[in-house]
Amino acid sequence: MYEQLTYDMGQVMQVEKRHPGNYGAPGVKRALKRKRTPEDMARQNMRNRVKRVQRLILANFRVGGWHLILTYKKHLRPDTLDDGKGYVRKFLGKMRKAYQKAGYPFKYICVTEKGKRGACHHHLIIEDIANADLNTKEMVMKFWKCGRMTFLPLYAEGEFEDLAEYITKKETKEEGKGCSYTRSRNLIVPKPKKEIIHRKTWRKDPRPKKGYYIIPDSVINGINPVTGYPYQHYAMRKYAPEEELNECR
């Protein structure tokens, strides 16, 4: 018997399988348990934070959105991260009002950081809307007057996951210096579907749900150092209609 958690973000599903320590796992070989160290807890906390940001991105942003980088002209650079946060907060407020006026929700994730040379800049993930009544790119250019704007399309398969890790690492690296990611309150926060599977264990190579494929390199089979029991994590991506047709031929 084991527990399965499934996070459904539409195009991507994340699955976690584990033998909870309080259930036990009859017939399953158990590794030697050990007391969790501060390093273990730090690594686990980091993994959990990355996954939370991954799920926020996957549940709320699609291919075709923007990874937007906002920088400053040299004479306009803020002295502190808090000053920079103030500038980007005003920018986000103007964007929100423009979206609301046009009848669209404004969603974003933003992290403010200082580069190697100390220059403050911002990384944002935003949707792209290009309609007659609202154009995201035009709104950004209208409201960001402090410096350069770099628009990077979200299109690569692993880019959402890589961005989540980047944002979380920047937050951790600058912890205590005011660096943290912020997000709009209207983001969908994925909740897991919990199931108790009445089997001894799971397949080492999981099978995808119909209409999905296993994302390469996402399968992790490991041992929980605290409980001594095995666990498995993996992610599945939904086929695009033409991909699914090709698989059937």
Side-chain angles (χ1 to χ4, degrees):
M1 180 174 67
Y2 61 88
E3 183 178 64
Q4 177 172 300
L5 305 179
T6 304
Y7 294 84
D8 187 351
M9 281 79 68
Q11 291 298 311
V12 174
M13 285 188 179
Q14 290 182 343
V15 180
E16 298 181 358
K17 299 176 182 179
R18 63 192 183 194
H19 295 288
N22 56 332
Y23 287 177
V28 176
K29 188 176 180 180
R30 186 174 190 174
L32 183 66
K33 295 194 299 180
R34 62 180 175 83
K35 186 176 180 180
R36 186 181 296 187
T37 66
E39 290 77 16
D40 290 332
M41 290 186 283
R43 281 192 294 269
Q44 185 61 52
N45 289 338
M46 183 63 176
R47 284 193 293 267
N48 291 340
R49 290 162 83 176
V50 170
K51 285 184 179 180
R52 282 197 296 269
V53 177
Q54 279 182 358
R55 290 166 188 154
L56 282 176
I57 296 173
L58 291 166
N60 292 280
F61 303 94
R62 295 288 179 263
V63 171
W66 295 115
H67 169 199
L68 174 63
I69 304 173
L70 302 176
T71 59
Y72 293 85
K73 298 175 184 177
K74 190 172 182 179
H75 67 283
L76 294 177
R77 288 175 184 170
D79 295 325
T80 66
L81 285 173
D82 285 340
D83 290 339
K85 286 182 180 181
Y87 285 122
V88 80
R89 193 179 301 119
K90 291 178 182 178
F91 164 77
L92 292 170
K94 292 176 181 178
M95 291 288 290
R96 185 184 301 108
K97 288 180 180 178
Y99 271 58
Q100 289 176 343
K101 186 176 180 179
Y104 296 94
F106 179 56
K107 295 183 177 184
Y108 69 86
I109 294 176
C110 175
V111 64
T112 298
E113 63 161 313
K114 281 192 174 184
K116 293 180 179 179
R117 298 181 180 180
C120 182
H121 58 280
H122 313 278
H123 291 264
L124 293 92
I125 302 171
I126 60 175
E127 294 179 288
D128 179 52
I129 298 175
N131 295 331
D133 52 351
L134 182 71
N135 186 293
T136 299
K137 200 168 184 178
E138 289 180 0
M139 289 299 99
V140 172
M141 292 187 288
K142 178 179 179 180
F143 295 132
W144 185 254
K145 301 296 186 181
C146 300
R148 182 177 297 176
M149 298 142 285
T150 302
F151 293 86
L152 303 174
L154 295 174
Y155 62 89
E157 179 172 277
E159 188 167 7
F160 295 102
E161 293 88 342
D162 292 343
L163 268 175
E165 188 169 356
Y166 176 86
I167 287 171
T168 311
K169 282 185 176 180
K170 286 297 178 184
E171 179 186 27
T172 305
K173 183 179 178 181
E174 301 292 339
E175 200 166 2
K177 301 179 183 178
C179 182
S180 61
Y181 81 87
T182 58
R183 66 177 182 87
S184 55
R185 295 180 181 179
N186 58 352
L187 295 189
I188 298 168
V189 181
K191 302 295 182 184
K193 176 185 177 182
K194 297 184 180 182
E195 301 174 89
I196 299 299
I197 309 299
H198 294 278
R199 296 175 190 158
K200 181 178 176 181
T201 188
W202 49 78
R203 291 171 53 94
K204 186 176 180 180
D205 298 314
R207 292 178 177 174
K209 182 179 176 181
K210 185 177 180 180
Y212 289 75
Y213 64 92
I214 302 294
I215 295 176
D217 301 323
S218 72
V219 181
I220 299 175
N221 290 290
I223 300 293
N224 186 312
V226 177
T227 66
Y229 286 121
Y231 65 83
Q232 183 182 79
H233 297 168
Y234 61 93
M236 300 179 287
R237 186 179 296 275
K238 185 181 291 186
Y239 280 113
E242 61 273 14
E243 291 177 319
E244 191 168 12
L245 181 61
N246 290 337
E247 284 291 314
C248 294
R249 288 174 176 170

